[in-house]
Amino acid sequence: MRVPHILRFLYVLLICLSTAHCQSEIDSGLTKVNALLYQQDYVEAEILLNKLRTQIERTGPELSDIQNTRRLKVLDRLGRAPAMY
């Protein structure tokens, strides 16, 4: 069952993103998105991308270079998701 695993992953991701040391969780979220896209599970990938985007935007307008790069990766993949349906 893939759905409970994804929900568990999202729950842990949302908790970890509240602290600065968990920014690497965004990277692991992007890795999970890539895996979902490879599996052609576009709906779940888009849901996860939207959650990642929301978490990044909550950090505020002043992003470090690394955070900005992550934000751009998320937005890039979000822009491509509808074309894959």
Side-chain angles (χ1 to χ4, degrees):
M1 302 263 333
R2 216 172 25 189
V3 175
H5 176 72
I6 291 171
L7 292 176
R8 190 173 339 122
F9 172 77
L10 291 174
Y11 178 74
V12 171
L13 178 66
L14 291 174
I15 290 172
C16 286
L17 289 176
S18 62
T19 61
H21 73 278
C22 287
Q23 287 298 318
S24 65
E25 291 297 321
I26 294 174
D27 290 331
S28 67
L30 287 170
T31 301
K32 181 66 178 175
V33 165
N34 291 336
L36 289 169
L37 292 174
Y38 180 77
Q39 297 167 1
Q40 297 179 348
D41 194 350
Y42 305 120
V43 173
E44 292 298 326
E46 189 172 7
I47 290 169
L48 180 53
L49 283 167
N50 279 313
K51 290 184 184 286
L52 291 172
R53 179 183 51 88
T54 301
Q55 290 301 316
I56 291 170
E57 289 175 352
R58 285 185 184 166
T59 61
E62 298 297 322
L63 298 175
S64 69
D65 290 341
I66 293 171
Q67 290 172 321
N68 194 43
T69 301
R70 289 181 180 125
R71 182 182 66 84
L72 292 174
K73 285 181 184 178
V74 168
L75 292 175
D76 177 62
R77 284 170 181 78
L78 252 176
R80 294 178 188 198
M84 295 183 196
Y85 287 125

